[in-house]
Amino acid sequence: MIRMRNVGKRFGEFNALKNVSLDIFAGEVVVLLGPSGSGKSTLIRCINHLEDYDSGDVFVGDIRVERGRNLLAVRQQTGMVFQSFNLFPNLSVLDNVALGPVRVKKQSWDGARTRARELLHRVGIADQAEKYPAQLSGGQQQRVGIARALAMEPRILLFDEPTSALDPEMVGEVLDVIKRLAHGGVTMILVTHEMGFARQVADRIVFMEAGEIREIADPQTFFSSTTNERARAFLDAVLNH
C-alpha cells in the first residue's frame, strides 16, 4: 500500500529523515514510536505530501507522491487526523464532516450529510451533530476529526499523535474509537506516545530515533524482548516515568 525508499528530509541544518525505507501493507496497523524529534510526524506527513521530501521516493499504491496532478489522487486515498482538531468553527459538527465529500468528491449536501450522520454514530457522537465545535469537549472534537477523515472513504488513515492535545480523562474515548476502526480494512499508521494502546492495536511497531528507523518488530517482541539498546532505553524511560 505504501512504499518509502531512501527518503530524506531536512529543515535547514536539521536532518529530520535520513534515507528511510519502509513498506506498509494493505489493511495493516503500524505504530511509529520514538522520542520527540525522531522523525515520526515528518514521516507520515511525507506520505500525503504535507511535507515535501528532499530525496528518495514515496508511493501510495502505484502513485508516486509528488507535487502536481498525482497529488489529488493520493489525498483522496489518505485521511489525516491531527494533534489539533482543525475543525471549522463556523460550521456545525455535521457540516464539518460533510464538507470534504461535497467539495472534493462533488457529492450533494443531502447525501454527504446522510453519510456524515452515519459516521458520527460510528464514532459515538451522533447526538452532537447540530452543535458547533466550540460546544464540544476536546475528546468529542477529535472524534469529529476522525469522522471527517473517514468521510472521504480513504484506503489509508494517518494519525499524528491524536491524543496529545487532550486532557487525560478524554484520551481513552478517542483511543477506543481508533481501536474499533483498527483491522477494519483501512491501512492505519499512527504516531502515539500511548504505549499500552500501541501494544494492543499494532501489527508492527516501527521505532525511530534521530531520523532513522532503528527497529521494526511485532508488539510482543518489541515490548518484551527487544535487543535494540536504543529501543530498550526508550521503553525504560517511558514505561518507568
Side-chain angles (χ1 to χ4, degrees):
M1 181 62 72
I2 299 167
R3 288 177 292 145
M4 308 186 83
R5 292 291 180 269
N6 301 314
V7 175
K9 173 65 181 177
R10 299 182 70 91
F11 296 99
E13 295 300 310
F14 178 65
N15 209 352
L17 294 177
K18 305 172 186 175
N19 295 319
V20 169
S21 294
L22 179 65
D23 290 325
I24 295 173
F25 303 100
E28 190 175 30
V29 179
V30 173
V31 174
L32 306 183
L33 298 180
S36 296
S38 58
K40 308 181 300 294
S41 293
T42 301
L43 186 151
I44 66 169
R45 291 170 71 89
C46 286
I47 292 172
N48 64 352
H49 208 274
L50 289 177
E51 294 289 355
D52 189 5
Y53 52 94
D54 300 321
S55 58
D57 296 289
V58 179
F59 290 89
V60 170
D62 295 327
I63 305 171
R64 188 176 189 272
V65 179
E66 58 188 333
R67 292 185 191 276
R69 56 192 176 88
N70 288 342
L71 194 52
L72 179 60
V74 168
R75 288 183 174 166
Q76 286 179 334
Q77 297 185 61
T78 56
M80 184 91 170
V81 179
F82 299 89
Q83 297 178 36
S84 53
F85 318 123
N86 293 338
L87 302 177
F88 293 105
N90 60 319
L91 295 181
S92 69
V93 164
L94 186 69
D95 285 350
N96 262 281
V97 177
L99 182 64
V102 170
R103 288 279 179 85
V104 177
K105 296 194 169 186
K106 310 304 180 187
Q107 293 181 10
S108 69
W109 274 108
D110 285 347
R113 285 175 175 142
T114 297
R115 176 62 175 155
R117 288 187 190 279
E118 294 171 358
L119 292 170
L120 290 172
H121 177 75
R122 187 173 175 185
V123 300
I125 50 171
D127 57 339
Q128 308 296 321
E130 306 306 329
K131 292 185 178 180
Y132 288 83
Q135 297 174 285
L136 304 185
S137 70
Q140 289 172 328
Q141 289 189 59
Q142 190 59 293
R143 285 191 275 169
V144 176
I146 294 170
R148 180 180 58 184
L150 289 170
M152 296 300 292
E153 299 182 339
R155 298 170 68 196
I156 299 163
L157 275 176
L158 308 173
F159 293 85
D160 187 7
E161 298 191 30
T163 60
S164 65
L166 299 178
D167 293 332
E169 65 270 19
M170 297 176 184
V171 169
E173 67 184 63
V174 172
L175 295 182
D176 285 343
V177 170
I178 298 172
K179 285 178 192 174
R180 292 201 302 270
L181 295 175
H183 309 292
V186 178
T187 306
M188 295 171 60
I189 309 168
L190 303 101
V191 176
T192 184
H193 292 292
E194 302 290 338
M195 295 297 114
F197 168 73
R199 188 168 191 160
Q200 287 179 345
V201 79
D203 293 309
R204 285 190 297 161
I205 302 291
V206 175
F207 175 72
M208 297 186 68
E209 185 186 53
E212 297 179 307
I213 293 175
R214 303 292 190 186
E215 182 172 13
I216 301 175
D218 65 88
Q220 178 66 26
T221 300
F222 182 79
F223 284 101
S224 301
S225 56
T226 179
T227 57
N228 185 289
E229 289 185 13
R230 300 189 187 206
R232 187 78 263 155
F234 169 78
L235 287 172
D236 287 344
V238 171
L239 298 176
N240 297 323
H241 180 67

